[in-house]
Amino acid sequence: MSAMQKLPRLTPKQESVPVWPACWAVLRRDLLSSLRQRQDLFNPLVFFVMVVSLFPLGVSPEKAFLSEAGAGILWVAALLSTLLSLDHLFRHDFEEGVLEQLLLQPQPLYLIVLTKVFAHWLVTGVPLILMTPLLGLMLQLDGNSIACLCLTLLLGTPVLSFIGAIGAALTLGLRSAGILLSLLVIPLYIPVLIFGTGTVMAAGQGLPITSHLALLGALLVLALTCAPFATAAALRISVSNS
Amino acid sequence: MSFPLLQATSLSCERDDRILFTGVDLAVEAGSLLRVEGPNGAGKTTLLRILAGLHAGYEGEILWCGEPIRRAREHFLRNLLYIGHRPGIKPLLTPLENLGALLARNPGMTRDQQEEALEAVSLLPFAHIPCHHLSAGQQRRVALARLYLSDEPLWILDEAFTAIDRAGVESLERLLEKRMAAGGAIILTTHHRLSIQGAQSLDLQIHAGEALSV
């Protein structure tokens, strides 16, 4: 075969490898897999819509209640829906041996994890944000609150994915990780929830929201810089113990 | 002074209150093939995972070109190709997509080269069919196609020949011989009978440990 005949004498390579093609390949593979496995894509979204629509039915369809509680309802539903999708983040890769190959790439695992979580957010977080204006209207929120809600979700849902990835990586070796994963991750979601709903409340009362958004942004930066390290370490442990 | 590519001294590994193996010494020079042997459960896969840096629960020292692998990690990974018994193939992706993703670690492979590698494992007619429609052996061949494009001097292959038919095994053996001639080093486990000149073997059974008394 000609590819083999061209082969020069093999010696250990010293030069470092480019990083971006590897990250792009990870992103492409994850997005392609998600697009071909539609239920992984739609289930969290359908869950999100159903949880939100339970509140007008179960509590009260009054405008006073809904516009008061709407932001909180949407945020909690987004949080639960993200939680629901977390178990898939690494599990398929783990079972198929793809994760082993990722750990053995010469590129920094930090960037590979960052890319994987970003891909996860693209297929789970972004659809939630796109669906939010519609559900906001259903919960009788005013336009200002809806815009503000979308903005907070845009800053907040990546944080949920990044924090959740740590939990997903830690519980990878367990057979039924669902409940434990929730118990690990939900306490860490509380600050995001508080700042997220706080922003919409403030906007509803006509108060300035820049400080709230800045805090959410700070959480995002913190998650972006720290969480992939923790996730990478947890992945190494889980693969090592498998 | 030149070092063997990969060298391990007094490796031992304990798992589930049992010493899998103890006092394993090995050195893999450029151009050599080491076959790890032993019955099921002797720790062949674990040893290979330890050598690849995937399993951290061991004692002993592993050197890559004379340097501890923990310190030379990036350099080591750049020069290692590992195929585990789970082949790392996404079932929803086609062989070509899978191969492209697996090769992205050292970019610069053209699509033609990838197709050529698929042809070498006789998968070219299936290049655009999602892998979950392929048989176990064909899925394994997708992972093995990487070998035809690899420039890494060290290969660690766990059960490389599982589910591969006789003709496939033969062409793989030829590939391994070519690699050895070109200066590549190979560590593998297999239950197949290998007809490769100059293969060394390491029997894990003689290194088996006693059950730990609790």
Side-chain angles (χ1 to χ4, degrees), chain A:
Chain A
M1 215 194 86
S2 66
M4 277 300 301
Q5 278 144 18
K6 274 181 274 169
L7 201 70
R9 178 102 190 141
L10 290 158
T11 47
K13 315 278 174 301
Q14 297 287 346
E15 85 280 15
S16 56
V17 282
V19 166
W20 300 117
C23 289
W24 168 241
V26 170
L27 185 67
R28 192 180 124 83
R29 174 165 62 185
D30 279 16
L31 291 182
L32 271 177
S33 273
S34 303
L35 288 178
R36 292 191 191 155
Q37 183 113 44
R38 297 269 163 73
Q39 70 265 36
D40 280 5
L41 203 62
F42 283 112
N43 285 356
L45 192 60
V46 173
F47 179 82
F48 179 60
V49 173
M50 287 200 331
V51 169
V52 170
S53 53
L54 287 182
F55 282 86
L57 298 172
V59 187
S60 157
E62 300 286 332
K63 184 176 186 336
F65 165 74
L66 288 178
S67 51
E68 177 85 9
I73 293 170
L74 278 162
W75 251 100
V76 171
L79 189 150
L80 292 177
S81 160
T82 306
L83 201 59
L84 193 71
S85 65
L86 280 180
D87 197 40
H88 294 301
L89 181 50
F90 298 115
R91 184 157 304 276
H92 294 316
D93 283 359
F94 180 64
E95 284 162 2
E96 291 151 4
V98 174
L99 197 55
E100 283 178 352
Q101 295 298 337
L102 289 179
L103 295 192
L104 292 178
Q105 291 208 356
Q107 287 82 8
L109 190 53
Y110 173 90
L111 289 174
I112 291 171
V113 168
L114 193 79
T115 314
K116 274 199 76 70
V117 178
F118 178 64
H120 175 260
W121 177 73
L122 281 183
V123 294
T124 58
V126 172
L128 298 188
I129 298 169
L130 295 179
M131 193 54 113
T132 297
L134 200 64
L135 293 174
L137 282 178
M138 191 180 91
L139 296 183
Q140 316 217 13
L141 295 177
D142 58 72
N144 195 11
S145 296
I146 291 177
C148 181
L149 188 61
C150 288
L151 202 58
T152 59
L153 284 174
L154 189 65
L155 288 171
T157 45
V159 185
L160 300 182
S161 290
F162 275 107
I163 294 174
I166 306 175
L170 276 173
T171 54
L172 204 50
L174 307 174
R175 286 209 183 281
S176 51
I179 296 286
L180 184 61
L181 179 58
S182 314
L183 294 181
L184 277 175
V185 164
I186 288 180
L188 299 172
Y189 278 178
I190 292 173
V192 191
L193 180 69
I194 290 173
F195 290 126
T197 49
T199 315
V200 189
M201 298 288 183
Q205 292 159 3
L207 298 170
I209 57 165
T210 32
S211 63
H212 286 85
L213 289 178
L215 276 168
L216 267 180
L219 278 179
L220 177 58
V221 172
L222 187 69
L224 207 70
T225 44
C226 298
F229 279 117
T231 310
L235 286 177
R236 284 195 207 283
I237 294 170
S238 288
V239 168
S240 178
N241 289 336
S242 71

Side-chain angles (χ1 to χ4, degrees), chain B residues 45-189:
Chain B
T45 293
T46 308
L47 177 62
L48 260 50
R49 286 170 57 89
I50 288 173
L51 292 177
L54 284 172
H55 190 91
Y58 67 94
E59 275 170 44
E61 199 169 18
I62 304 175
L63 304 176
W64 165 255
C65 297
E67 237 188 301
I69 84 174
R70 278 172 225 262
R71 244 189 295 152
R73 192 169 172 82
E74 196 194 325
H75 184 221
F76 171 61
L77 292 181
R78 169 68 188 88
N79 291 291
L80 164 75
L81 189 150
Y82 168 87
I83 298 183
H85 63 154
R86 287 177 291 198
I89 298 301
K90 285 250 154 223
L92 292 164
L93 267 53
T94 66
L96 205 56
E97 288 163 347
N98 267 308
L99 193 58
L102 288 170
L103 287 170
R105 45 174 282 151
N106 19 324
M109 292 293 163
T110 63
R111 202 187 157 92
D112 285 348
Q113 281 173 303
Q114 295 176 16
E115 286 181 352
E116 218 171 300
L118 282 180
E119 186 164 19
V121 293
S122 35
L123 277 182
L124 197 53
F126 306 94
H128 298 286
I129 296 174
C131 284
H132 62 99
H133 291 304
L134 303 181
S135 77
Q138 285 173 320
Q139 290 192 23
R140 195 136 194 110
R141 279 163 182 262
V142 178
L144 294 175
R146 272 174 81 190
L147 298 179
Y148 287 88
L149 297 175
S150 159
D151 64 349
E152 291 91 352
L154 177 65
W155 289 355
I156 297 183
L157 311 175
D158 191 5
E159 295 296 343
F161 301 112
T162 306
I164 303 289
D165 59 30
R166 204 172 295 164
V169 170
E170 235 163 68
S171 67
L172 261 178
E173 282 176 345
R174 297 295 82 77
L175 176 66
L176 295 184
E177 278 174 353
K178 267 191 204 167
R179 281 301 280 203
M180 290 162 66
I186 302 158
I187 305 174
L188 58 78
T189 65

